[in-house]
């Protein structure tokens, strides 16, 4: 991979994102002048003269290129413009929201580190790993799901902590836990999975024989493990940026994520532009810091000694676990498909679970089980389409690693929620926009996997022999390279299906995906928030379904790995570490 190619594609991708943000007034497909007129004076008639005056005032009549140039010049001077709704400067609002979000993310990082330490400590003590299903399930649970459950249990039922606002350290606890638990589960599982193989290396045995303390050996083992995993830590921190949007919305925290979401819904495009740029900058800085930390950890001696980790030793998972989860999920979905998800019965609104309504009813008296079953198609079906799209794109980009690398850096810095906000601002909320947003950034891990496999297959002795006997490149590509790459990457894509479904659900939860009355799981969670204290079953049903889906993916993958258990090649290990 040539650095110049990666750098060029990185710059082009970044400029494309910035240009899309700057051109939002033209890409939105709506009349910004009408939005401004309604915000300034709701009673005034939207006459052509009034709208033309606003367009001249905002510079919308000068054309898209002039508008982009004017916006870029102001951006260089540190001027983010004036809010179309409130009439105030955008920069102070963005700065205030960013300060709140940074404080929340700092608290979430502390929670994540504490949880990761708890998960890692038993491995350091025993010297062997476990199946890690608990940590993996924690990592797979979406932040907005934990936020909803935490608000319901600790805030509403027990009354221990504030449920909304930003009034002191107590207001930070529930949002920080909701953000930090999935990140801590991911970090803990990555390190805990890699440690057992490192602790069995020859140098550990020699150090123990020389009387080196356990604490010093543990510190050295962690330093040995961390460099290949630091990019994943950076991606987890970027994930906190996207997750903060949903969590801030649940708890009414005045952070930059909630500011961006509110600006998108009100079509306050200058405020949306400033908020999205702040979130993008936050993601890029986080990724750069992760790369710097990795270089510092490597050091000349470690770099010269090579840091390829020994293959992980898969732990067998009983088949009963994924089978039980699959049975519960399929039964609930199949039972719900036999019912009408749109039938309204106001006399039975917010009814408790009964034989007539096994999961109760929602605020309009609609059967929650029916909406859960029919929503599976909208949530899991759309996720399958996005998964196939990501697979095809990653296979194509796997043969162009230089081009894919630079674009992947920008894609990794954009959580699905941020792209969803941009797509919703340009095309309006909907299932198609949510699928486009998730698909646009779900390919980098698969592409890295495909590129590593392509490199390995092309360097194999078998292909060298094929070239020696005169096999044409097209024959080698279609009969040998592509089949060898497609199957492993397809399995990898299937493992990412639940994560894509969770991302789509989070967009639906924020109102950026499917719209009412569609029975999409994220939308069901959003609709149930208004009456979560009176009818918690309406919120818990889609929440449990998402958790079952995540648990099924984790336990199923562990069961398959335990049965297969071949030693992966170097390229496959590098791809999996980078995924």
């Amino acid at each position: 991979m040539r650095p110049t190619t990666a750098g060029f594609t990185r710059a082009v991708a970044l400029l494309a994102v910035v240009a899309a943000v700057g051109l939002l007034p033209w890409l939105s497909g709506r009349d910004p002048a009408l939005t401004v007129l309604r915000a300034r004076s709701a009673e005034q008639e939207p006459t052509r003269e009034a709208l033309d005056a606003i367009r001249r005032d905002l510079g919308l009549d000068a054309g898209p290129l002039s508008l982009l140039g004017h916006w870029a010049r102001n951006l260089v001077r540190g001027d983010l413009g004036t809010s179309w709704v409130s009439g105030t400067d955008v920069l102070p609002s963005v700065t205030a929201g960013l300060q709140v979000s940074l404080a929340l993310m700092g608290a979430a990082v502390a929670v994540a580190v504490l949880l990761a330490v708890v998960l890692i400590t038993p491995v350091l003590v025993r010297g062997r790993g476990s199946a890690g299903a608990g940590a993996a399930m924690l990592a797979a649970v979406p932040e907005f799901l934990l936020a909803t459950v935490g608000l319901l249990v600790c805030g509403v039922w027990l009354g221990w902590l504030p449920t909304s606002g930003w009034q002191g350290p107590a207001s930070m606890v529930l949002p920080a836990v909701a953000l930090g638990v999935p990140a801590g589960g991911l970090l803990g599982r990555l390190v805990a999975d890699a440690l057992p193989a490192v602790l069995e290396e020859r140098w550990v045995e020699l150090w123990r024989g020389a009387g080196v303390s356990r604490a010093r050996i543990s510190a050295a083992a962690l330093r040995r493990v961390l460099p290949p995993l630091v990019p994943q830590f950076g991606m987890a921190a970027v994930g906190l940026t996207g997750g903060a949007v949903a969590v801030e919305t649940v708890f009414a925290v005045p952070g930059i994520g909630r500011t961006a979401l509110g600006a998108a819904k009100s079509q306050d495009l200058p405020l949306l532009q400033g908020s999205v740029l702040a979130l993008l900058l936050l993601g890029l800085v986080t990724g750069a810091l992760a790369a710097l930390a990795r270089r510092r950890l490597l050091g000349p001696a470690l770099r010269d000694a090579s840091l390829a980790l020994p293959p992980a030793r898969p732990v067998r998972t009983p088949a009963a676990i994924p089978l039980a989860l699959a049975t519960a999920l399929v039964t609930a979905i199949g039972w719900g498909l036999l019912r009408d998800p749109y039938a309204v019965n106001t006399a039975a609104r917010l009814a408790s679970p009964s034989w007539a309504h096994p999961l109760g009813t929602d605020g309009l008296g609609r059967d929650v089980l029916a909406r859960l079953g029919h929503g599976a198609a909208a949530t899991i079906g759309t996720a399958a389409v996005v998964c196939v799209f990501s697979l095809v794109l990653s296979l194509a980009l796997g043969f162009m690693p230089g081009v894919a690398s630079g674009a992947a850096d920008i894609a990794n810095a954009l959580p699905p929620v941020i792209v969803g906000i941009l797509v919703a601002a340009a095309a309006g909320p909907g299932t198609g926009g949510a699928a486009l947003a998730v698909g646009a950034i779900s390919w980098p891990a698969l592409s890295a996997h495909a590129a590593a496999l392509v490199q390995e297959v092309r360097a194999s002795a078998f292909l060298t022999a094929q070239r020696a006997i005169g096999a044409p490149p097209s024959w080698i590509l279609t009969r040998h390279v592509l089949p060898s790459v497609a199957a492993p990457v397809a399995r990898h894509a299937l493992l990412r299906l639940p994560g894509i479904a969770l991302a789509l659900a989070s967009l639906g939860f924020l109102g950026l995906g499917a719209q009412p009355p569609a029975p999409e799981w994220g939308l069901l969670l959003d609709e149930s928030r208004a009456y979560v204290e009176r009818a918690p079953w309406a919120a818990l049903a889609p929440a449990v379904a998402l958790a079952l889906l995540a648990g099924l993916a984790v336990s199923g993958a562990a069961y398959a790995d335990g049965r297969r258990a071949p030693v992966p090649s170097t390229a496959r290990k590098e791809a999996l570490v980078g995924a």
Side-chain angles (χ1 to χ4, degrees):
M1 178 179 65
R2 293 178 296 179
T4 54
T5 304
F8 176 75
T9 55
R10 186 182 297 110
V12 169
L14 180 59
L15 287 175
V17 174
V18 174
V21 174
L23 291 173
L24 275 177
W26 288 91
L27 297 175
S28 64
R30 307 174 188 177
D31 189 355
L34 182 59
T35 301
V36 176
L37 179 65
R38 289 175 175 171
R40 293 178 177 177
S41 178
E43 296 80 11
Q44 185 176 352
E45 291 293 330
T47 62
R48 177 176 297 181
E49 293 77 10
L51 295 177
D52 288 342
I54 292 176
R55 292 189 187 99
R56 288 192 299 271
D57 182 40
L58 299 178
L60 296 174
D61 57 346
L65 294 181
S66 175
L67 179 68
L68 179 60
H70 177 72
W71 180 77
R73 287 191 298 270
N74 290 339
L75 182 63
V76 171
R77 296 196 298 266
D79 182 9
L80 297 179
T82 303
S83 169
W84 289 355
V85 174
S86 65
T88 60
D89 289 341
V90 168
L91 183 58
S93 299
V94 171
T95 303
L98 190 59
Q99 290 174 347
V100 172
S101 293
L102 286 175
L104 176 58
M105 290 175 64
V109 169
V111 172
V113 171
L114 288 175
L115 179 58
V117 170
V118 171
L119 295 172
I120 294 169
T121 300
V123 180
L124 290 173
V125 172
R126 298 194 308 263
R128 64 179 187 275
S130 62
M137 291 184 70
L138 288 177
V141 176
E143 295 88 352
F144 73 88
L145 176 58
L146 285 177
T148 302
V149 174
L151 183 148
L152 178 65
V153 176
C154 298
V156 176
W157 289 352
L158 301 177
W160 289 347
L161 296 165
T163 58
S164 64
W166 190 256
Q167 300 171 354
S171 301
M172 192 185 299
V173 174
L174 288 178
V177 170
L179 283 172
V181 167
L186 173 62
L187 302 185
R189 185 193 181 200
L190 288 173
V191 177
D193 284 350
L195 272 176
V198 172
L199 291 175
E200 293 179 5
E201 291 180 335
R202 178 64 176 169
W203 66 269
V204 176
E205 183 180 348
L206 294 175
W207 281 29
R208 288 171 178 162
V212 178
S213 66
R214 174 177 290 182
R216 189 176 176 187
I217 294 176
S218 298
L222 287 174
R223 184 177 176 86
R224 171 83 166 90
V225 164
L226 287 179
L229 302 179
V230 166
Q232 282 295 307
F233 297 172
M235 291 182 65
V238 172
L240 290 179
T241 306
V245 179
V247 172
E248 290 173 2
T249 301
V250 172
F251 293 103
V253 174
I256 190 65
R258 184 166 176 254
T259 300
L261 183 62
K265 291 184 175 181
S266 64
Q267 282 291 292
D268 190 353
L269 296 184
L271 181 58
L272 174 61
Q273 290 169 336
S275 301
V276 169
L277 280 181
L279 288 167
L280 175 61
L281 180 63
L282 186 60
L284 290 175
V285 170
T286 301
L289 290 176
L292 178 62
R294 181 174 186 271
R295 286 195 294 269
R296 296 282 295 179
L297 283 171
L298 283 171
L302 290 176
R303 188 184 304 112
D304 294 341
S306 177
L307 279 165
L309 294 178
R313 289 153 177 78
V315 180
R316 291 189 179 275
T317 298
I321 296 178
L323 182 61
L325 294 175
T327 300
L329 191 60
V330 171
T331 300
I333 292 174
W335 196 0
L337 288 173
L338 302 177
R339 297 166 173 263
D340 185 356
Y342 299 105
V344 175
N345 182 7
T346 55
R349 62 187 302 270
L350 302 182
S352 302
S354 62
W355 180 252
H357 303 287
L359 296 181
T361 61
D362 64 7
L364 296 177
R366 296 173 298 191
D367 187 80
V368 173
L369 179 61
R371 295 183 64 75
L372 182 73
H374 287 267
T379 304
I380 303 178
T382 305
V385 174
V386 173
C387 192
V388 171
F389 167 79
S390 301
L391 173 61
V392 174
L393 181 62
S394 65
L395 288 176
L397 293 177
F399 291 88
M400 300 179 291
V403 175
S405 176
D409 291 340
I410 304 302
N412 284 329
L414 290 170
V417 172
I418 306 306
V419 183
I421 289 175
L422 290 175
V423 173
T431 303
L436 176 63
V438 177
I441 59 173
S442 61
W443 55 268
L446 297 177
S447 177
H449 191 180
L453 292 176
V454 167
Q455 182 182 20
E456 177 184 285
V457 174
R458 281 177 168 173
S460 65
F462 174 75
L463 285 192
T464 303
Q466 290 287 312
R467 297 188 190 100
I469 62 176
S474 58
W475 172 273
I476 295 176
L477 174 65
T478 57
R479 297 301 180 93
H480 299 293
V481 178
L482 194 57
S484 300
V485 173
V489 178
R491 289 194 295 269
H492 186 179
L494 286 176
L495 292 178
R496 290 188 170 269
L497 178 63
I500 293 174
L502 294 175
L504 291 169
S506 67
L507 293 178
F509 176 78
L510 293 171
L512 302 174
Q515 297 298 293
E520 193 269 338
W521 288 356
L523 185 58
L524 296 185
L525 276 168
D526 181 42
E527 292 173 343
S528 63
R529 278 194 299 156
Y531 43 83
V532 66
E533 183 176 2
R534 294 179 55 193
W537 48 84
L540 290 178
V544 171
L546 287 168
L548 286 176
L549 182 63
L552 176 60
V554 171
S555 59
Y559 174 71
D561 289 343
R563 285 178 60 85
R564 230 180 9 252
V567 176
S569 63
T570 301
R572 285 184 174 86
K573 284 188 292 182
E574 292 174 351
L576 292 175
V577 168

